[in-house]
């Protein structure tokens, strides 16, 4: 672009000016985008950056232990999830059956463009204010009382006879979701992925983190989401510019590029439907403020193959913990509308390509014709590390999608080490610049 | 700014240090990652409609882009109208 003819051609700046740490409110970068060219960096840093990402290892799963769900054929309670499938199998009579997919059972895939009003599946109803977290069952095996704390788990084991109880009935308080997507990635696999993820990030990792790193401590958690379909229209309006002429003024020593442009007032309208948009239905997990937490890590492993979710059945939850939903449809609506507007903006992008000097959108409008809400548990492997510090420190997560194996994490940094390396590289570059200036003139 | 031929080179040190710092920071902490729902959600859209009206002409600006360009910043909300 700006080539000066007097002095010899200048080397381009080695790295672009960087916009800081970034935020989940920005459109996330494409996979593999880094911001610096690794080949310009010192060997050890380059090797770390170029190391392979976590890979699929094995998607079989034998995590799910016995549940008290009864076999539809013989009535036995010895039921497991069949490894790597969404099937349940009776270990007594070998009968196999599939939890009914909610997609077909309730027709969730169809008629999105006909949606009107707000359709709420039974498990997505408002949570009753007096909904008790503790539910007590009388064990049919031995008569003991067994308590399930639905804040953290949907199953519990009888201390006396080892029967497993699950909250299988949909009590009308919104605490039990409509559907569950069973784990496919088994624990060994999740451990391997987390190990690979951290192996790629050791140079500048906090020393205490590296010393205490035990990925075997990963826990399988079912996290609560609302899966939303929507039928909407959106309008955006603003100004765009088309370049008509480009020319330079000034002498060789001081040359400037000038532009002429046409300014347009533009507006766009788009009608669209979205299928299975996942939204965190726990207030804690939905808070993506990277200044105070690393929940954006868990958000980043979305989406899931929610089309394969099965009707609620606590047998799938044995051996895992779960988090309870604490947000109702109306509380999540602003978040949904925000995402629908973002999708609309992405949809109209191609239609303003001719405005080569860019577009400044100034107004936007959203008309929600209809939405459908389904409460669902999604499977996530979570490794967490608490970094001590001010205001309670920071809880770092490495999360593995329990279906796809997609892995994302936050590794605490040894600040002084990273700073000193950055300053060293900066000093070296500055030295090279000074040398160049001294020899160019 | 008078001798553009070289003085900007002096910015390389600080710029390079800052860029490397933030790039590595992001690589470890991944603060810029989130669910890319704009490209990962199943969206079924009808054709986009709209209009363009030429309202003005600019001559001799040195800005390379329109002021306040937000065409790719899908998540930056602008004035919401009913
Ligand atoms: Zn059976
Ligand atoms: Zn018992």
């Amino acid at each position: 672009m700006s080539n000066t003819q007097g002095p010899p051609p200048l080397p381009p700046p080695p790295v672009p000016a960087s916009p800081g740490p970034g935020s989940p409110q920005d459109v996330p970068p494409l996979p593999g985008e880094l911001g610096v060219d690794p080949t310009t960096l010192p060997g050890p840093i380059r090797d770390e950056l170029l190391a392979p990402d976590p890979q699929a290892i094995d998607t079989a799963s034998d995590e799910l232990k016995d549940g008290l769900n009864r076999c539809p054929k013989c009535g036995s309670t010895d039921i497991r999830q069949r490894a790597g499938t969404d099937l349940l199998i009776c270990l007594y009579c070998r009968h196999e059956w599939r939890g009914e997919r909610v997609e077909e059972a309730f027709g969730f895939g169809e008629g999105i463009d006909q949606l009107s009003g707000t359709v709420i599946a039974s498990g997505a109803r408002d949570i009753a204010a007096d909904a008790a977290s503790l539910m007590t069952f009388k064990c049919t095996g031995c008569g003991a009382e067994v308590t399930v704390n639905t804040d953290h788990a949907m199953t519990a084991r009888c201390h006396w006879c080892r029967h497993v109880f699950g909250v299988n009935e949909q009590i009308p308080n919104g605490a039990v979701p409509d559907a569950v997507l069973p784990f496919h990635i088994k624990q060994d696999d999740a451990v391997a992925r987390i190990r690979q993820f951290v192996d790629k990030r050791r140079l500048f990792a906090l020393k205490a983190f590296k010393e205490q790193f035990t990925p075997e401590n990963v826990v399988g958690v079912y996290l609560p989401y609302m899966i939303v379909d929507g039928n909407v229209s959106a309008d955006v309006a603003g100004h765009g510019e088309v370049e008509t002429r480009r020319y330079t003024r000034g002498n060789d020593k001081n040359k400037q590029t000038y532009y002429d442009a046409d300014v347009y007032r533009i507006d766009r309208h788009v009608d669209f439907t979205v299928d299975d948009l996942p939204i965190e239905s726990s207030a804690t997990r939905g808070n993506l403020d990277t200044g105070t937490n690393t929940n954006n890590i868990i958000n980043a492993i979305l989406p899931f193959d929610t089309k394969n979710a099965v009707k609620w059945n606590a047998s799938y939850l044995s051996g895992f913990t779960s988090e309870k939903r604490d947000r109702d449809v109306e509380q999540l609506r602003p978040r949904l509308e925000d995402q629908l507007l973002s999708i609309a903006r992405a949809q109209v992008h191609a239609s303003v390509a001719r405005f080569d000097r860019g577009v400044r959108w100034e107004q936007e409008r959203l008309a929600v014709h209809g939405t459908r809400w389904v409460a669902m548990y999604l499977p996530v492997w979570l490794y967490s590390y608490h970094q001590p510090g001010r205001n309670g420190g920071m809880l770092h997560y490495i999360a593995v999608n329990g279906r796809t194996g997609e892995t994302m994490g936050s590794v605490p940094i040894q600040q002084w080490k990273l700073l000193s390396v950055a300053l060293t590289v900066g000093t070296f570059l500055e030295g090279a610049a000074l040398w160049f200036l001294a020899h160019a003139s | 700014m008078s001798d553009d031929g070289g003085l900007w080179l002096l910015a390389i040190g600080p710029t390079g240090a800052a860029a490397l710092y933030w790039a590595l920071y992001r690589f470890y902490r991944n603060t810029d990652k989130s669910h890319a729902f704009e490209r990962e959600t199943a969206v079924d859209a009808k054709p986009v409609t709209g209009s363009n009206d030429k309202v003005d002409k600019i001559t001799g600006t040195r800005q390379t882009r329109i002021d306040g360009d937000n065409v790719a910043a899908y998540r930056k909300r602008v004035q919401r109208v009913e």
Side-chain angles (χ1 to χ4, degrees), chain A residues 342-382:
Chain A
S342 301
I343 289 172
R345 289 265 293 276
Q347 288 295 320
V348 302
H349 193 167
S351 78
V352 294
R354 62 171 288 219
F355 299 96
D356 51 8
R357 285 175 51 82
V359 172
R360 177 182 66 245
W361 293 121
E362 291 150 355
Q363 293 178 317
E364 54 194 3
R365 184 183 148 270
L366 181 72
V368 180
H369 309 304
T371 50
R372 178 164 54 205
W373 303 69
V374 176
M376 198 181 286
Y377 266 2
L378 298 180
V380 179
W381 289 104
L382 277 184

mmCIF file of all heavy atoms in Angstrom, chain A residues 342-382:
data_model
loop_
_atom_site.group_PDB
_atom_site.id
_atom_site.type_symbol
_atom_site.label_atom_id
_atom_site.label_comp_id
_atom_site.label_asym_id
_atom_site.label_seq_id
_atom_site.Cartn_x
_atom_site.Cartn_y
_atom_site.Cartn_z
ATOM 1 N N SER A 342 -28.042 -10.811 16.574
ATOM 2 C CA SER A 342 -26.694 -11.081 16.056
ATOM 3 C C SER A 342 -26.768 -11.976 14.821
ATOM 4 O O SER A 342 -26.051 -11.762 13.844
ATOM 5 C CB SER A 342 -25.843 -11.760 17.132
ATOM 6 O OG SER A 342 -25.735 -10.950 18.276
ATOM 7 N N ILE A 343 -27.651 -12.989 14.888
ATOM 8 C CA ILE A 343 -27.792 -13.888 13.745
ATOM 9 C C ILE A 343 -28.327 -13.106 12.538
ATOM 10 O O ILE A 343 -27.853 -13.279 11.411
ATOM 11 C CB ILE A 343 -28.719 -15.070 14.100
ATOM 12 C CG1 ILE A 343 -27.999 -15.996 15.083
ATOM 13 C CG2 ILE A 343 -29.150 -15.837 12.851
ATOM 14 C CD1 ILE A 343 -28.871 -17.097 15.659
ATOM 15 N N ALA A 344 -29.284 -12.215 12.782
ATOM 16 C CA ALA A 344 -29.828 -11.404 11.689
ATOM 17 C C ALA A 344 -28.731 -10.559 11.036
ATOM 18 O O ALA A 344 -28.638 -10.466 9.809
ATOM 19 C CB ALA A 344 -30.946 -10.507 12.214
ATOM 20 N N ARG A 345 -27.881 -9.968 11.865
ATOM 21 C CA ARG A 345 -26.790 -9.149 11.329
ATOM 22 C C ARG A 345 -25.840 -9.992 10.487
ATOM 23 O O ARG A 345 -25.332 -9.546 9.453
ATOM 24 C CB ARG A 345 -26.060 -8.468 12.478
ATOM 25 C CG ARG A 345 -26.879 -7.367 13.143
ATOM 26 C CD ARG A 345 -26.539 -6.011 12.571
ATOM 27 N NE ARG A 345 -25.184 -5.663 12.939
ATOM 28 C CZ ARG A 345 -24.854 -5.105 14.099
ATOM 29 N NH1 ARG A 345 -25.792 -4.789 14.964
ATOM 30 N NH2 ARG A 345 -23.618 -4.847 14.381
ATOM 31 N N ALA A 346 -25.592 -11.228 10.941
ATOM 32 C CA ALA A 346 -24.734 -12.121 10.160
ATOM 33 C C ALA A 346 -25.422 -12.499 8.847
ATOM 34 O O ALA A 346 -24.772 -12.590 7.800
ATOM 35 C CB ALA A 346 -24.405 -13.381 10.968
ATOM 36 N N GLN A 347 -26.739 -12.674 8.895
ATOM 37 C CA GLN A 347 -27.484 -13.068 7.694
ATOM 38 C C GLN A 347 -27.475 -11.990 6.611
ATOM 39 O O GLN A 347 -27.445 -12.292 5.427
ATOM 40 C CB GLN A 347 -28.936 -13.411 8.063
ATOM 41 C CG GLN A 347 -29.090 -14.721 8.822
ATOM 42 C CD GLN A 347 -28.691 -15.927 7.983
ATOM 43 O OE1 GLN A 347 -28.984 -16.007 6.794
ATOM 44 N NE2 GLN A 347 -27.987 -16.865 8.606
ATOM 45 N N VAL A 348 -27.519 -10.713 7.010
ATOM 46 C CA VAL A 348 -27.578 -9.651 5.993
ATOM 47 C C VAL A 348 -26.192 -9.223 5.519
ATOM 48 O O VAL A 348 -26.067 -8.433 4.582
ATOM 49 C CB VAL A 348 -28.349 -8.398 6.497
ATOM 50 C CG1 VAL A 348 -29.755 -8.773 6.911
ATOM 51 C CG2 VAL A 348 -27.619 -7.714 7.632
ATOM 52 N N HIS A 349 -25.147 -9.752 6.150
ATOM 53 C CA HIS A 349 -23.790 -9.297 5.834
ATOM 54 C C HIS A 349 -23.473 -9.403 4.335
ATOM 55 O O HIS A 349 -22.979 -8.458 3.715
ATOM 56 C CB HIS A 349 -22.777 -10.087 6.661
ATOM 57 C CG HIS A 349 -21.399 -9.489 6.654
ATOM 58 N ND1 HIS A 349 -20.411 -9.869 7.516
ATOM 59 C CD2 HIS A 349 -20.843 -8.540 5.874
ATOM 60 C CE1 HIS A 349 -19.317 -9.176 7.280
ATOM 61 N NE2 HIS A 349 -19.543 -8.355 6.275
ATOM 62 N N ALA A 350 -23.794 -10.579 3.757
ATOM 63 C CA ALA A 350 -23.443 -10.796 2.354
ATOM 64 C C ALA A 350 -24.155 -9.800 1.431
ATOM 65 O O ALA A 350 -23.635 -9.433 0.372
ATOM 66 C CB ALA A 350 -23.786 -12.232 1.951
ATOM 67 N N SER A 351 -25.332 -9.332 1.840
ATOM 68 C CA SER A 351 -26.111 -8.453 0.965
ATOM 69 C C SER A 351 -25.563 -7.020 0.939
ATOM 70 O O SER A 351 -26.042 -6.195 0.165
ATOM 71 C CB SER A 351 -27.577 -8.442 1.408
ATOM 72 O OG SER A 351 -27.730 -7.616 2.545
ATOM 73 N N VAL A 352 -24.591 -6.706 1.765
ATOM 74 C CA VAL A 352 -24.008 -5.359 1.738
ATOM 75 C C VAL A 352 -22.540 -5.401 1.328
ATOM 76 O O VAL A 352 -21.774 -4.486 1.609
ATOM 77 C CB VAL A 352 -24.165 -4.633 3.107
ATOM 78 C CG1 VAL A 352 -25.626 -4.375 3.402
ATOM 79 C CG2 VAL A 352 -23.535 -5.433 4.236
ATOM 80 N N ALA A 353 -22.176 -6.479 0.624
ATOM 81 C CA ALA A 353 -20.777 -6.657 0.233
ATOM 82 C C ALA A 353 -20.290 -5.532 -0.690
ATOM 83 O O ALA A 353 -19.115 -5.185 -0.698
ATOM 84 C CB ALA A 353 -20.591 -8.015 -0.441
ATOM 85 N N ARG A 354 -21.209 -4.925 -1.454
ATOM 86 C CA ARG A 354 -20.769 -3.900 -2.406
ATOM 87 C C ARG A 354 -20.309 -2.627 -1.704
ATOM 88 O O ARG A 354 -19.656 -1.776 -2.321
ATOM 89 C CB ARG A 354 -21.889 -3.571 -3.399
ATOM 90 C CG ARG A 354 -23.139 -3.006 -2.760
ATOM 91 C CD ARG A 354 -24.129 -2.505 -3.795
ATOM 92 N NE ARG A 354 -23.691 -1.280 -4.437
ATOM 93 C CZ ARG A 354 -24.507 -0.272 -4.754
ATOM 94 N NH1 ARG A 354 -25.805 -0.377 -4.499
ATOM 95 N NH2 ARG A 354 -24.050 0.812 -5.337
ATOM 96 N N PHE A 355 -20.668 -2.475 -0.434
ATOM 97 C CA PHE A 355 -20.203 -1.292 0.299
ATOM 98 C C PHE A 355 -18.806 -1.585 0.825
ATOM 99 O O PHE A 355 -18.612 -2.009 1.956
ATOM 100 C CB PHE A 355 -21.191 -0.936 1.410
ATOM 101 C CG PHE A 355 -22.547 -0.623 0.869
ATOM 102 C CD1 PHE A 355 -23.547 -1.586 0.829
ATOM 103 C CD2 PHE A 355 -22.808 0.628 0.325
ATOM 104 C CE1 PHE A 355 -24.785 -1.304 0.280
ATOM 105 C CE2 PHE A 355 -24.050 0.916 -0.232
ATOM 106 C CZ PHE A 355 -25.036 -0.049 -0.258
ATOM 107 N N ASP A 356 -17.825 -1.342 -0.093
ATOM 108 C CA ASP A 356 -16.474 -1.809 0.201
ATOM 109 C C ASP A 356 -15.748 -0.971 1.250
ATOM 110 O O ASP A 356 -14.672 -1.342 1.691
ATOM 111 C CB ASP A 356 -15.650 -1.903 -1.090
ATOM 112 C CG ASP A 356 -15.701 -0.620 -1.907
ATOM 113 O OD1 ASP A 356 -16.252 0.385 -1.403
ATOM 114 O OD2 ASP A 356 -15.189 -0.614 -3.037
ATOM 115 N N ARG A 357 -16.334 0.175 1.620
ATOM 116 C CA ARG A 357 -15.743 0.945 2.728
ATOM 117 C C ARG A 357 -16.473 0.649 4.043
ATOM 118 O O ARG A 357 -16.263 1.331 5.051
ATOM 119 C CB ARG A 357 -15.772 2.439 2.424
ATOM 120 C CG ARG A 357 -14.709 2.841 1.383
ATOM 121 C CD ARG A 357 -14.823 4.294 0.991
ATOM 122 N NE ARG A 357 -14.875 5.215 2.106
ATOM 123 C CZ ARG A 357 -13.809 5.664 2.776
ATOM 124 N NH1 ARG A 357 -12.609 5.262 2.443
ATOM 125 N NH2 ARG A 357 -13.945 6.510 3.765
ATOM 126 N N GLY A 358 -17.322 -0.362 4.018
ATOM 127 C CA GLY A 358 -17.963 -0.787 5.256
ATOM 128 C C GLY A 358 -19.355 -0.213 5.454
ATOM 129 O O GLY A 358 -19.827 0.630 4.683
ATOM 130 N N VAL A 359 -20.013 -0.710 6.465
ATOM 131 C CA VAL A 359 -21.378 -0.290 6.799
ATOM 132 C C VAL A 359 -21.427 0.042 8.282
ATOM 133 O O VAL A 359 -20.829 -0.661 9.101
ATOM 134 C CB VAL A 359 -22.390 -1.410 6.470
ATOM 135 C CG1 VAL A 359 -23.778 -1.051 6.995
ATOM 136 C CG2 VAL A 359 -22.427 -1.686 4.980
ATOM 137 N N ARG A 360 -22.123 1.115 8.598
ATOM 138 C CA ARG A 360 -22.368 1.449 9.998
ATOM 139 C C ARG A 360 -23.851 1.242 10.259
ATOM 140 O O ARG A 360 -24.680 2.059 9.862
ATOM 141 C CB ARG A 360 -21.967 2.905 10.270
ATOM 142 C CG ARG A 360 -22.260 3.385 11.693
ATOM 143 C CD ARG A 360 -21.881 4.842 11.894
ATOM 144 N NE ARG A 360 -22.699 5.739 11.087
ATOM 145 C CZ ARG A 360 -22.244 6.498 10.090
ATOM 146 N NH1 ARG A 360 -20.972 6.477 9.776
ATOM 147 N NH2 ARG A 360 -23.068 7.269 9.397
ATOM 148 N N TRP A 361 -24.201 0.100 10.869
ATOM 149 C CA TRP A 361 -25.599 -0.112 11.222
ATOM 150 C C TRP A 361 -25.937 0.781 12.407
ATOM 151 O O TRP A 361 -25.169 0.870 13.363
ATOM 152 C CB TRP A 361 -25.857 -1.577 11.576
ATOM 153 C CG TRP A 361 -25.711 -2.521 10.423
ATOM 154 C CD1 TRP A 361 -24.862 -3.569 10.331
ATOM 155 C CD2 TRP A 361 -26.465 -2.523 9.194
ATOM 156 N NE1 TRP A 361 -25.015 -4.224 9.126
ATOM 157 C CE2 TRP A 361 -25.997 -3.588 8.412
ATOM 158 C CE3 TRP A 361 -27.474 -1.701 8.679
ATOM 159 C CZ2 TRP A 361 -26.500 -3.876 7.147
ATOM 160 C CZ3 TRP A 361 -27.983 -1.981 7.426
ATOM 161 C CH2 TRP A 361 -27.500 -3.046 6.674
ATOM 162 N N GLU A 362 -27.095 1.446 12.311
ATOM 163 C CA GLU A 362 -27.456 2.393 13.370
ATOM 164 C C GLU A 362 -28.703 1.971 14.134
ATOM 165 O O GLU A 362 -28.888 2.333 15.295
ATOM 166 C CB GLU A 362 -27.665 3.795 12.761
ATOM 167 C CG GLU A 362 -26.361 4.401 12.267
ATOM 168 C CD GLU A 362 -26.549 5.343 11.085
ATOM 169 O OE1 GLU A 362 -27.682 5.445 10.585
ATOM 170 O OE2 GLU A 362 -25.560 5.964 10.668
ATOM 171 N N GLN A 363 -29.578 1.237 13.447
ATOM 172 C CA GLN A 363 -30.818 0.816 14.104
ATOM 173 C C GLN A 363 -31.106 -0.629 13.758
ATOM 174 O O GLN A 363 -30.787 -1.090 12.665
ATOM 175 C CB GLN A 363 -31.982 1.680 13.616
ATOM 176 C CG GLN A 363 -31.878 3.125 14.063
ATOM 177 C CD GLN A 363 -33.021 3.948 13.527
ATOM 178 O OE1 GLN A 363 -33.395 3.810 12.365
ATOM 179 N NE2 GLN A 363 -33.577 4.804 14.369
ATOM 180 N N GLU A 364 -31.737 -1.324 14.685
ATOM 181 C CA GLU A 364 -32.148 -2.685 14.391
ATOM 182 C C GLU A 364 -33.489 -2.959 15.075
ATOM 183 O O GLU A 364 -33.848 -2.342 16.066
ATOM 184 C CB GLU A 364 -31.080 -3.707 14.806
ATOM 185 C CG GLU A 364 -30.625 -3.609 16.249
ATOM 186 C CD GLU A 364 -29.351 -4.395 16.517
ATOM 187 O OE1 GLU A 364 -28.767 -4.982 15.596
ATOM 188 O OE2 GLU A 364 -28.928 -4.405 17.691
ATOM 189 N N ARG A 365 -34.206 -3.899 14.485
ATOM 190 C CA ARG A 365 -35.551 -4.187 14.972
ATOM 191 C C ARG A 365 -35.770 -5.690 14.874
ATOM 192 O O ARG A 365 -35.348 -6.323 13.913
ATOM 193 C CB ARG A 365 -36.572 -3.460 14.080
ATOM 194 C CG ARG A 365 -37.999 -3.587 14.521
ATOM 195 C CD ARG A 365 -38.923 -2.898 13.522
ATOM 196 N NE ARG A 365 -40.184 -3.614 13.510
ATOM 197 C CZ ARG A 365 -40.473 -4.625 12.714
ATOM 198 N NH1 ARG A 365 -39.613 -5.012 11.808
ATOM 199 N NH2 ARG A 365 -41.632 -5.238 12.793
ATOM 200 N N LEU A 366 -36.413 -6.250 15.884
ATOM 201 C CA LEU A 366 -36.662 -7.686 15.889
ATOM 202 C C LEU A 366 -38.136 -7.936 16.146
ATOM 203 O O LEU A 366 -38.706 -7.359 17.074
ATOM 204 C CB LEU A 366 -35.826 -8.361 16.986
ATOM 205 C CG LEU A 366 -35.967 -9.883 17.103
ATOM 206 C CD1 LEU A 366 -35.294 -10.583 15.934
ATOM 207 C CD2 LEU A 366 -35.373 -10.372 18.424
ATOM 208 N N ALA A 367 -38.752 -8.761 15.319
ATOM 209 C CA ALA A 367 -40.133 -9.169 15.553
ATOM 210 C C ALA A 367 -40.124 -10.676 15.774
ATOM 211 O O ALA A 367 -39.816 -11.436 14.867
ATOM 212 C CB ALA A 367 -41.007 -8.805 14.371
ATOM 213 N N VAL A 368 -40.418 -11.088 16.995
ATOM 214 C CA VAL A 368 -40.442 -12.514 17.319
ATOM 215 C C VAL A 368 -41.865 -13.015 17.114
ATOM 216 O O VAL A 368 -42.769 -12.666 17.857
ATOM 217 C CB VAL A 368 -39.974 -12.762 18.768
ATOM 218 C CG1 VAL A 368 -40.014 -14.249 19.087
ATOM 219 C CG2 VAL A 368 -38.574 -12.211 18.977
ATOM 220 N N HIS A 369 -42.070 -13.832 16.077
ATOM 221 C CA HIS A 369 -43.412 -14.353 15.805
ATOM 222 C C HIS A 369 -43.734 -15.537 16.702
ATOM 223 O O HIS A 369 -44.863 -15.704 17.130
ATOM 224 C CB HIS A 369 -43.523 -14.770 14.340
ATOM 225 C CG HIS A 369 -43.069 -13.701 13.400
ATOM 226 N ND1 HIS A 369 -43.611 -12.433 13.412
ATOM 227 C CD2 HIS A 369 -42.110 -13.696 12.450
ATOM 228 C CE1 HIS A 369 -42.997 -11.703 12.488
ATOM 229 N NE2 HIS A 369 -42.079 -12.446 11.900
ATOM 230 N N GLY A 370 -42.732 -16.363 16.955
ATOM 231 C CA GLY A 370 -42.989 -17.526 17.794
ATOM 232 C C GLY A 370 -41.701 -18.167 18.283
ATOM 233 O O GLY A 370 -40.670 -18.094 17.611
ATOM 234 N N THR A 371 -41.773 -18.762 19.475
ATOM 235 C CA THR A 371 -40.621 -19.475 20.015
ATOM 236 C C THR A 371 -41.100 -20.760 20.681
ATOM 237 O O THR A 371 -42.246 -20.857 21.105
ATOM 238 C CB THR A 371 -39.870 -18.640 21.083
ATOM 239 O OG1 THR A 371 -40.806 -18.162 22.039
ATOM 240 C CG2 THR A 371 -39.115 -17.491 20.464
ATOM 241 N N ARG A 372 -40.184 -21.738 20.749
ATOM 242 C CA ARG A 372 -40.506 -22.989 21.431
ATOM 243 C C ARG A 372 -39.335 -23.334 22.334
ATOM 244 O O ARG A 372 -38.188 -23.312 21.897
ATOM 245 C CB ARG A 372 -40.745 -24.103 20.415
ATOM 246 C CG ARG A 372 -41.039 -25.450 21.060
ATOM 247 C CD ARG A 372 -41.655 -26.412 20.063
ATOM 248 N NE ARG A 372 -40.839 -26.554 18.878
ATOM 249 C CZ ARG A 372 -41.319 -26.921 17.681
ATOM 250 N NH1 ARG A 372 -42.595 -27.152 17.511
ATOM 251 N NH2 ARG A 372 -40.505 -27.034 16.650
ATOM 252 N N TRP A 373 -39.633 -23.616 23.594
ATOM 253 C CA TRP A 373 -38.589 -23.806 24.600
ATOM 254 C C TRP A 373 -38.639 -25.216 25.161
ATOM 255 O O TRP A 373 -39.688 -25.665 25.624
ATOM 256 C CB TRP A 373 -38.777 -22.812 25.744
ATOM 257 C CG TRP A 373 -38.780 -21.381 25.313
ATOM 258 C CD1 TRP A 373 -39.742 -20.748 24.577
ATOM 259 C CD2 TRP A 373 -37.767 -20.410 25.580
ATOM 260 N NE1 TRP A 373 -39.378 -19.435 24.380
ATOM 261 C CE2 TRP A 373 -38.184 -19.197 24.994
ATOM 262 C CE3 TRP A 373 -36.550 -20.441 26.276
ATOM 263 C CZ2 TRP A 373 -37.429 -18.030 25.063
ATOM 264 C CZ3 TRP A 373 -35.805 -19.272 26.358
ATOM 265 C CH2 TRP A 373 -36.253 -18.090 25.752
ATOM 266 N N VAL A 374 -37.493 -25.884 25.143
ATOM 267 C CA VAL A 374 -37.392 -27.231 25.702
ATOM 268 C C VAL A 374 -36.244 -27.231 26.711
ATOM 269 O O VAL A 374 -35.149 -26.763 26.409
ATOM 270 C CB VAL A 374 -37.102 -28.259 24.582
ATOM 271 C CG1 VAL A 374 -36.904 -29.648 25.171
ATOM 272 C CG2 VAL A 374 -38.226 -28.275 23.560
ATOM 273 N N ALA A 375 -36.512 -27.735 27.909
ATOM 274 C CA ALA A 375 -35.460 -27.799 28.930
ATOM 275 C C ALA A 375 -34.684 -29.096 28.756
ATOM 276 O O ALA A 375 -35.264 -30.167 28.636
ATOM 277 C CB ALA A 375 -36.080 -27.739 30.323
ATOM 278 N N MET A 376 -33.372 -28.982 28.725
ATOM 279 C CA MET A 376 -32.540 -30.147 28.412
ATOM 280 C C MET A 376 -31.280 -30.174 29.265
ATOM 281 O O MET A 376 -30.719 -29.126 29.576
ATOM 282 C CB MET A 376 -32.166 -30.104 26.920
ATOM 283 C CG MET A 376 -31.683 -31.420 26.352
ATOM 284 S SD MET A 376 -31.243 -31.268 24.602
ATOM 285 C CE MET A 376 -32.854 -31.164 23.823
ATOM 286 N N TYR A 377 -30.858 -31.379 29.628
ATOM 287 C CA TYR A 377 -29.557 -31.565 30.284
ATOM 288 C C TYR A 377 -28.542 -31.954 29.220
ATOM 289 O O TYR A 377 -28.774 -32.883 28.450
ATOM 290 C CB TYR A 377 -29.647 -32.701 31.301
ATOM 291 C CG TYR A 377 -29.951 -32.276 32.712
ATOM 292 C CD1 TYR A 377 -30.180 -30.944 33.039
ATOM 293 C CD2 TYR A 377 -29.984 -33.212 33.740
ATOM 294 C CE1 TYR A 377 -30.449 -30.564 34.333
ATOM 295 C CE2 TYR A 377 -30.253 -32.844 35.050
ATOM 296 C CZ TYR A 377 -30.486 -31.512 35.337
ATOM 297 O OH TYR A 377 -30.745 -31.151 36.622
ATOM 298 N N LEU A 378 -27.418 -31.233 29.185
ATOM 299 C CA LEU A 378 -26.364 -31.540 28.217
ATOM 300 C C LEU A 378 -25.106 -32.002 28.955
ATOM 301 O O LEU A 378 -24.778 -31.480 30.023
ATOM 302 C CB LEU A 378 -26.058 -30.305 27.351
ATOM 303 C CG LEU A 378 -27.218 -29.791 26.502
ATOM 304 C CD1 LEU A 378 -26.793 -28.578 25.691
ATOM 305 C CD2 LEU A 378 -27.736 -30.884 25.580
ATOM 306 N N PRO A 379 -24.382 -32.992 28.384
ATOM 307 C CA PRO A 379 -23.264 -33.622 29.094
ATOM 308 C C PRO A 379 -21.923 -32.911 28.891
ATOM 309 O O PRO A 379 -21.469 -32.727 27.763
ATOM 310 C CB PRO A 379 -23.215 -35.018 28.459
ATOM 311 C CG PRO A 379 -23.694 -34.805 27.062
ATOM 312 C CD PRO A 379 -24.663 -33.656 27.092
ATOM 313 N N VAL A 380 -21.284 -32.525 30.004
ATOM 314 C CA VAL A 380 -20.007 -31.813 29.941
ATOM 315 C C VAL A 380 -19.030 -32.410 30.953
ATOM 316 O O VAL A 380 -19.384 -32.642 32.109
ATOM 317 C CB VAL A 380 -20.210 -30.309 30.271
ATOM 318 C CG1 VAL A 380 -18.878 -29.570 30.226
ATOM 319 C CG2 VAL A 380 -21.204 -29.660 29.320
ATOM 320 N N TRP A 381 -17.819 -32.701 30.497
ATOM 321 C CA TRP A 381 -16.746 -33.060 31.424
ATOM 322 C C TRP A 381 -16.057 -31.777 31.861
ATOM 323 O O TRP A 381 -15.653 -30.985 31.016
ATOM 324 C CB TRP A 381 -15.737 -33.992 30.744
ATOM 325 C CG TRP A 381 -16.243 -35.375 30.488
ATOM 326 C CD1 TRP A 381 -16.636 -35.887 29.284
ATOM 327 C CD2 TRP A 381 -16.408 -36.423 31.442
ATOM 328 N NE1 TRP A 381 -17.042 -37.193 29.437
ATOM 329 C CE2 TRP A 381 -16.915 -37.553 30.759
ATOM 330 C CE3 TRP A 381 -16.193 -36.528 32.820
ATOM 331 C CZ2 TRP A 381 -17.195 -38.759 31.395
ATOM 332 C CZ3 TRP A 381 -16.480 -37.735 33.448
ATOM 333 C CH2 TRP A 381 -16.966 -38.828 32.742
ATOM 334 N N LEU A 382 -15.904 -31.602 33.177
ATOM 335 C CA LEU A 382 -15.331 -30.358 33.680
ATOM 336 C C LEU A 382 -14.110 -30.623 34.553
ATOM 337 O O LEU A 382 -14.170 -31.386 35.512
ATOM 338 C CB LEU A 382 -16.354 -29.604 34.540
ATOM 339 C CG LEU A 382 -17.390 -28.731 33.859
ATOM 340 C CD1 LEU A 382 -18.219 -28.026 34.917
ATOM 341 C CD2 LEU A 382 -16.732 -27.729 32.938
#
